[in-house]
């Protein structure tokens, strides 16, 4: 259950960052309403994520929980590749795999 909460926090944080990127990408080209909507959605997602993070910190030692948030780096990288067709070097993918390995090691203690 703890691992699922941490994963949910990472997903919410990732979604919020993707909203921010989309807001920056669109700028004012699609109107201020779209920009404000994306930024408001980002703040909402971050707020819900923070509340869930507080629940995680009640039951998981911060020395284990906090490093697991690095999953967010992986989720954002994959989403950016899929959504905006961003390119990544082999070195970046290897770094991402190292993060995944670290999270797997940390998660084995939950």
């Amino acid at each position: 259950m703890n691992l699922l909460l941490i994963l949910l926090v990472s997903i919410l944080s990732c979604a919020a960052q993707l909203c921010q990127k989309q807001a920056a990408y669109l700028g004012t080209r699609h109107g201020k309403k779209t920009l404000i909507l994306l930024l408001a959605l980002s703040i909402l997602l971050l707020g819900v994520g923070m509340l869930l993070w507080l629940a995680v910190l009640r039951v998981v030692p911060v020395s284990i929980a906090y490093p697991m948030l690095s999953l967010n780096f992986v989720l954002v990288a994959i989403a950016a590749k899929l959504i905006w067709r961003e390119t990544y070097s082999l070195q970046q993918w290897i770094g991402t795999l190292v993060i995944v390995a670290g999270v797997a090691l940390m998660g084995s203690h939950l």
Side-chain angles (χ1 to χ4, degrees):
M1 184 64 167
N2 296 336
L3 188 57
L4 288 176
L5 273 177
I6 293 170
L7 182 60
L8 183 56
V9 170
S10 287
I11 290 170
L12 288 169
S13 177
C14 173
Q17 290 176 34
L18 295 174
C19 286
Q20 293 168 16
K21 165 70 175 179
Q22 191 66 15
Y25 179 73
L26 293 177
T28 55
R29 286 183 280 169
H30 290 271
K32 287 185 180 181
K33 285 184 182 181
T34 302
L35 180 66
I36 291 170
L37 178 67
L38 286 168
L39 292 176
L41 181 57
S42 173
I43 291 169
L44 175 68
L45 292 168
L46 287 171
V48 172
M50 182 190 67
L51 293 174
L52 288 174
W53 181 243
L54 292 174
V56 168
L57 291 177
R58 286 187 191 146
V59 293
V60 178
V62 74
S63 61
I64 294 174
Y66 191 72
M68 292 192 72
L69 281 183
S70 61
L71 263 180
N72 196 32
F73 296 121
V74 176
L75 296 174
V76 170
I78 292 170
K81 175 78 173 158
L82 295 173
I83 296 170
W84 296 290
R85 308 279 188 241
E86 291 187 7
T87 59
Y88 291 91
S89 67
L90 179 61
Q91 187 175 7
Q92 287 171 301
W93 284 119
I94 291 171
T96 301
L97 289 174
V98 169
I99 291 171
V100 170
V103 168
L105 286 172
M106 298 297 290
S108 68
H109 293 302
L110 290 177

